[in-house]
Amino acid sequence: DALANNPRLRRRKQVAQLVSDGLIELQNLASAGKGDEFFATVFRLMQEQIGERLDLPATAITEAIVDEKLRGRGLSESATDVLHELFQHCNQARYAPEQSSQRLEAVIPKLKMALTELQEVKA
């Protein structure tokens, strides 16, 4: 009943599951050197987590939202910088695909840190 009557709680749980599954998928994509799919997944995970925290549709999330909406909500400067860096990587991947498994795998800890800090931002 609590989930049925609370759409924000339901979305929080859905996004948590999506992030958990997505992080596993990222490891597989990185190992396979699938840079395009990897960065598409990174982008989707950031959109979903930020959208959930800000109660916005995931499709409305862009890099500009980080400064416009997240800065005043307690997100650390380091997490803000990492989010900007990740958005930049995603944009660059569209034009110059990254295929190195090691470089892709190096992105995962940064994303995990940023997602963890985002989960602490006031909803």
Side-chain angles (χ1 to χ4, degrees):
D1 283 343
L3 284 177
N5 295 325
N6 189 339
R8 292 208 60 183
L9 178 61
R10 186 171 52 246
R11 184 174 183 195
R12 184 177 304 146
K13 289 190 174 291
Q14 288 171 339
V15 169
Q17 185 63 51
L18 180 83
V19 166
S20 177
D21 294 345
L23 290 171
I24 293 168
E25 181 183 355
L26 282 177
Q27 192 63 53
N28 295 333
L29 292 170
S31 297
K34 296 182 177 180
D36 291 344
E37 293 172 52
F38 178 88
F39 283 108
T41 303
V42 168
F43 191 74
R44 188 181 84 241
L45 293 177
M46 288 190 303
Q47 283 184 309
E48 290 290 345
Q49 187 65 70
I50 294 169
E52 183 271 321
R53 291 284 84 194
L54 297 176
D55 198 25
L56 294 171
T59 55
I61 304 305
T62 63
E63 183 178 0
I65 293 290
V66 174
D67 290 326
E68 292 172 12
K69 306 265 186 187
L70 285 174
R71 282 212 187 260
R73 292 183 180 238
L75 187 64
S76 73
E77 194 64 34
S78 62
T80 301
D81 291 345
V82 169
L83 285 171
H84 281 296
E85 179 183 340
L86 292 170
F87 273 110
Q88 299 278 324
H89 281 305
C90 291
N91 290 335
Q92 288 173 344
R94 292 181 192 158
Y95 305 106
E98 177 64 60
Q99 301 298 327
S100 165
S101 293
Q102 291 175 332
R103 286 190 176 180
L104 296 176
E105 288 172 358
V107 170
I108 296 172
K110 291 178 181 182
L111 178 64
K112 284 181 182 179
M113 183 278 294
L115 294 174
T116 299
E117 286 209 28
L118 279 168
Q119 291 166 356
E120 301 300 319
V121 169
K122 293 181 228 171

